[in-house]
Amino acid sequence: MSVNESALPLNEQARSPRFALAGNPNCGKTALFNAITGGRQKVGNYPGVTVERKEGFFTRPDGEQVRILDLPGTYSLDAKTPDEEISRDVLLGKISDEEQPDVILAVADATSLERNLGLILELRALGRPMILALNMMDLARARGAVIDLEVLGRELGFPVFPTVAVNGDGVEPLLAQAMQIAHAAKLSAEKSPAADWKNSTPNEVRDRFATVDAILAKAVKRSARPLIWSEKVDRIVVHPVWGSIILLFILGVIFQAIFSWAALPQEWIEKGVGALGKSVAGLMSVGPLRSLLTDGVIAGVGSVLVFLPQILLLFFFILLLEDTGYMARAAFLMDRVMGKVGLHGRAFIPLLSSFACAIPGIMATRTIENRRDRLTTILVAPLMTPSATLPNYSLLIAAFIPNTAVFGPVRLQGLVMLGLYAGGVAATLGMAWVFKRTLLKGVKPPLLMELPTYKVPSWRNIFFGLRDRCWIFIRRAGTVILAITIILWFVASYPKAPEGALLPPIDYSYAGRIGHAIEPLIRPLGFDWRIGIAFVPGMAAREVMVSALATVYAIEGKDEEATGRALSEVLKSQWSVATAVSLLVWYILACQCLSTLAVTRRETNSWRWPLFMFSYMTALAYVGSFITYRLCVWAGL
Amino acid sequence: MTVDKLYLGGMKKGDRALIVATGGPIEIRRRLLEMGFLEGSVVEVIHEAPFGKDPIAVRVRGTLLALRRNEANYIEVHLEVA
């Protein structure tokens, strides 16, 4: 049978059976999903919410196509989080555009049935065709567990299959049985009506677990022993002193990776894109089309691709830390510190990553379950000074801050740089504190987090995870970034300068007009129209500001360095120190990056939050720069 | 003579206890129960976080769970005599 693998035709989709994987977090559900689909999967969002929707496809030996949905891992179906709500509504068939699954493939961690079976009983109560995969069976046996699968299946009322998802053991018998159930279900009933769902009362939860205990008493001769080596590792890893040192070391490695290891591949991408632009330019005659292709499209693709090294590296570490089980420990260690400003322990990796670039940082907030916590982290992440701001800082500091020795080897320029970074961190934490007390106020969600036993990471899981992240970025954020780059190119290039113009061409463009138009607004901050113009192309990426200023001041150097030095000299003669300091403060606080807004749009699934982010940061920067400028003028700078 | 009630939030690293009652606001109570803090289950404090010994990591029903002392105080316990 030759059916297109990734996109089944609609009539085919209607007939192919549909499974849904459900289970607790950390039960190996995603590993099972990867084992079943072999990577044939696509990631998207459920309509209107930020819950990730993962669907996969596989073909049975007889050629039948099956679709399988990987529901988010949850501890129950009582809707307290969007994940739980979605899982429940999908299973009940209450989501429009989402077919009700024919069979529920429930997954339980065989090493901790006492907890895992709670959700299984809840799933059973839905009254849907169902089958249970007892996953990590190898680990459970190694830890001395003796489980009578037949008795367990009889007590539960549906078939139970042992699986080892990481190497695919037991997957085939499980699927064969699930197919049988699917076909039998199709014959009997088309679709069960969406049952009414009420959250369980605490007593119902107690009863459910009493049933679990009764079932386990019959089916389990011996439960799995605690994993000794995992506990020994924990004695060091969450030790107050050693644990903190290890955490700092790991954070240091991640920071180093996204800050400097990514630099080389980024340079290759930039060079490659530059070379491509040049060769395309060589093939075409001068004209608007050539400019559109080289300065607009190719440069735009480059500005998307250039983020990939950082995103890949950061998510490699995050997936590795998640897969081994370390991430929960890190959140455990950091909870108190981050909690001081109302952030979740898991917020520190996204924020730290934002030092390199807010884009991967914002994407990394997915590990934060609570919506308010996650939104707060997203909103403040761009305040962590991204590395792209560095060229601006360097330019202004070199031009305006005397390099006098302050104390021993400590020099004023270095101190100011440090102060700018400290300002960024202070603004981040301060705004997080403000948001958690005003806009995103809510009951502090309880920290109730499993510390899973350590596992050897599965490279397959990490590989598929990385592939998903890159794809999401390129398809969803990348397209917006590309469009924005092309628009900005247009704004900075048109209309063209008239014949015999004396000023640089950018003055005559829309960017120039915008710069002049906003001058009255930015004058109180000590900025003139030239800075206003540079802001426009600077929105594409912060570091573009330097070359934009060079364009505005009509500086042509042999290379970047010469341009920088020449620009520095010109600025020194044209700007007051107050203006420079004010602009530095502006750069700490302002949202000068449309790519960040694009990725925020993607991650929050609405334009509301990126608009709010832009507004509040601009307001903050305006007030900050205004006060700074006035203070500087008053101090006679 | 009445004995002061003891709660999970007041336990130290290495303490083992029997859960007597799980309380708190209904949402939290339900979540605590779903995660396995059930009356009659044994709970043991395994780790304490660095700053202020909060949160704590406890073993209950075969899994290791982290929670803050604040929430742990909804769980009344009875210290086991070793």
Side-chain angles (χ1 to χ4, degrees):
Chain A
M1 218 174 122
S2 66
V3 177
N4 189 331
E5 296 188 345
S6 52
L8 296 165
L10 257 177
N11 56 346
E12 203 66 38
Q13 280 189 6
R15 269 183 272 127
S16 59
R18 196 134 192 268
F19 298 164
L21 279 168
N24 280 179
N26 307 309
C27 70
K29 196 169 51 61
T30 298
L32 189 62
F33 180 69
N34 289 337
I36 291 174
T37 60
R40 284 171 61 194
Q41 43 190 267
K42 59 176 189 203
V43 186
N45 268 42
Y46 288 98
V49 284
T50 50
V51 179
E52 202 162 86
R53 180 182 182 282
K54 275 171 90 174
E55 191 177 35
F57 312 89
F58 62 95
T59 313
R60 296 293 301 153
D62 62 5
E64 188 162 14
Q65 296 272 327
V66 185
R67 291 182 298 147
I68 182 162
L69 204 58
D70 186 16
L71 294 174
T74 60
Y75 290 106
S76 86
L77 296 179
D78 294 331
K80 283 177 295 283
T81 65
D83 283 7
E84 288 161 345
E85 206 169 332
I86 286 287
S87 298
R88 189 197 65 196
D89 288 348
V90 167
L91 293 173
L92 288 171
K94 286 214 286 201
I95 294 186
S96 47
D97 306 333
E98 190 73 68
E99 271 173 78
Q100 187 171 27
D102 301 310
V103 182
I104 301 174
L105 284 186
V107 190
D109 173 359
T111 65
S112 91
L113 289 177
E114 290 171 276
R115 218 269 323 287
N116 274 251
L117 283 192
L119 174 71
I120 306 302
L121 291 187
E122 226 178 338
L123 291 169
R124 182 173 76 171
L126 295 175
R128 300 286 301 159
M130 187 168 162
I131 187 169
L132 176 65
L134 271 197
N135 196 32
M136 304 196 212
M137 205 53 200
D138 55 335
L139 297 177
R141 287 203 182 107
R143 283 161 60 181
V146 182
I147 304 164
D148 189 329
L149 296 172
E150 213 163 296
V151 175
L152 185 60
R154 202 167 54 231
E155 291 294 321
L156 287 171
F158 42 80
V160 179
F161 285 83
T163 58
V164 181
V166 283
N167 63 19
D169 279 2
V171 171
E172 181 44 41
L174 173 82
L175 291 181
Q177 179 74 32
M179 290 306 291
Q180 273 188 23
I181 298 177
H183 290 136
K186 282 225 158 147
L187 291 177
S188 58
E190 271 300 287
K191 193 172 180 176
S192 79
D196 273 344
W197 180 268
K198 281 215 297 277
N199 282 354
S200 327
T201 64
N203 276 333
E204 281 166 352
V205 180
R206 290 187 176 100
D207 289 346
R208 200 185 303 142
F209 277 95
T211 313
V212 168
D213 286 341
I215 292 174
L216 291 180
K218 285 183 198 152
V220 176
K221 306 228 161 34
R222 213 164 48 215
S223 330
R225 288 184 300 266
L227 191 59
I228 304 296
W229 72 264
S230 180
E231 296 205 339
K232 281 195 177 148
V233 170
D234 258 345
R235 252 175 256 164
I236 301 165
V237 168
V238 295
H239 184 275
V241 179
W242 301 121
S244 308
I245 292 172
I246 291 171
L247 178 64
L248 278 179
F249 175 76
I250 290 175
L251 293 183
V253 170
I254 296 178
F255 189 65
Q256 184 67 23
I258 48 183
F259 212 84
S260 46
W261 299 356
L264 198 60
Q266 281 180 321
E267 216 172 278
W268 294 338
I269 291 173
E270 276 168 357
K271 283 216 176 96
V273 169
L276 181 69
K278 275 211 185 82
S279 59
V280 168
L283 293 172
M284 299 171 69
S285 53
V286 183
L289 185 63
R290 184 177 99 166
S291 177
L292 169 68
L293 267 181
T294 56
D295 302 333
V297 178
I298 293 175
V301 170
S303 65
V304 174
L305 292 181
V306 82
F307 289 118
L308 280 182
Q310 284 180 339
I311 289 175
L312 274 170
L313 275 167
L314 176 63
F315 276 97
F316 171 74
F317 284 109
I318 288 181
L319 289 164
L320 187 68
L321 296 183
E322 292 274 10
D323 218 49
T324 51
Y326 181 79
M327 191 61 107
R329 270 80 182 176
F332 174 73
L333 291 171
M334 292 300 288
D335 183 70
R336 191 66 187 270
V337 178
M338 300 303 285
K340 286 256 187 273
V341 290
L343 287 174
H344 189 278
R346 284 178 185 264
F348 70 95
I349 286 198
L351 290 183
L352 186 87
S353 320
S354 298
F355 263 140
C357 175
I359 312 272
I362 287 171
M363 288 174 71
T365 59
R366 272 166 189 267
T367 52
I368 304 168
E369 286 156 35
N370 181 272
R371 192 183 141 269
R372 290 165 195 275
D373 281 7
R374 179 157 176 242
L375 264 177
T376 309
T377 312
I378 290 176
L379 285 177
V380 300
L383 285 168
M384 296 289 277
T385 314
S387 55
T389 310
L390 212 52
N392 301 329
Y393 284 176
S394 306
L395 173 75
L396 292 172
I397 286 177
F400 291 95
I401 308 296
N403 199 17
T404 46
V406 176
F407 176 77
V410 180
R411 293 183 167 268
L412 189 59
Q413 288 192 340
L415 267 187
V416 170
M417 185 68 94
L418 190 70
L420 293 172
Y421 271 89
V425 174
T428 307
L429 298 180
M431 285 316 290
W433 190 86
V434 169
F435 286 142
K436 287 298 285 185
R437 262 152 203 80
T438 52
L439 193 68
L440 296 164
K441 199 164 141 182
V443 189
K444 194 177 175 186
L447 173 91
L448 259 177
M449 179 180 59
E450 190 176 350
L451 303 182
T453 46
Y454 289 102
K455 276 198 300 283
V456 180
S458 148
W459 299 112
R460 182 168 61 183
N461 285 355
I462 293 177
F463 173 75
F464 287 148
L466 275 180
R467 197 188 60 178
D468 288 351
R469 290 277 83 78
C470 286
W471 186 231
I472 286 175
F473 172 75
I474 291 177
R475 213 185 35 186
R476 299 299 179 79
T479 44
V480 179
I481 294 173
L482 177 62
I484 288 169
T485 315
I486 294 174
I487 292 170
L488 285 179
W489 161 81
F490 178 80
V491 166
S493 320
Y494 287 91
K496 291 283 177 207
E499 207 67 35
L502 294 174
L503 292 166
I506 196 170
D507 272 41
Y508 302 95
S509 70
Y510 292 112
R513 291 183 199 177
I514 293 171
H516 283 285
I518 61 173
E519 190 179 22
L521 280 175
I522 55 176
R523 177 120 310 262
L525 314 181
F527 305 160
D528 63 3
W529 55 272
R530 291 185 184 86
I531 299 177
I533 292 177
F535 277 157
V536 178
M539 289 300 283
R542 287 176 177 236
E543 68 273 24
V544 174
M545 181 82 178
V546 175
S547 61
L549 278 174
T551 314
V552 177
Y553 283 102
I555 293 162
E556 294 274 358
K558 281 196 306 292
D559 49 36
E560 258 178 60
E561 217 189 307
T563 311
R565 245 179 293 121
L567 181 61
S568 180
E569 287 306 312
V570 172
L571 294 189
K572 228 189 273 188
S573 64
Q574 299 257 341
W575 292 3
S576 67
V577 175
T579 294
V581 176
S582 173
L583 190 59
L584 282 173
V585 170
W586 176 269
Y587 266 108
I588 297 177
L589 300 169
C591 184
Q592 281 281 310
C593 176
L594 287 171
S595 304
T596 301
L597 296 174
V599 85
T600 304
R601 148 84 188 92
R602 151 70 201 162
E603 293 295 317
T604 59
N605 228 336
S606 89
W607 278 109
R608 199 157 58 109
W609 292 108
L611 281 176
F612 174 74
M613 176 191 272
F614 181 74
S615 316
Y616 101 79
M617 288 180 72
T618 307
L620 200 64
Y622 196 90
V623 172
S625 287
F626 180 78
I627 294 173
T628 310
Y629 185 65
R630 290 293 135 198
L631 280 176
C632 286
V633 169
W634 176 75
L637 290 168
Chain B
M1 193 183 123
T2 54
V3 183
D4 278 349
K5 282 186 178 171
L6 186 65
Y7 295 91
L8 179 57
M11 282 169 62
K12 287 194 303 288
K13 188 172 164 175
D15 285 350
R16 253 170 85 92
L18 202 65
I19 297 173
V20 178
T22 300
I26 185 155
E27 287 293 306
I28 293 177
R29 195 185 336 156
R30 194 163 56 203
R31 170 113 304 183
L32 287 169
L33 290 167
E34 282 163 359
M35 297 289 280
F37 291 100
L38 293 144
E39 289 85 352
S41 294
V42 175
V43 61
E44 183 180 352
V45 180
I46 309 288
H47 305 292
E48 291 169 330
F51 309 97
K53 300 190 171 186
D54 192 21
I56 52 174
V58 305
R59 185 189 330 285
V60 64
R61 289 177 80 84
T63 46
L64 192 59
L65 297 173
L67 76 169
R68 300 193 189 106
R69 289 189 185 270
N70 196 14
E71 275 89 40
N73 274 331
Y74 292 126
I75 300 163
E76 193 189 333
V77 293
H78 190 84
L79 272 191
E80 275 198 338
V81 193

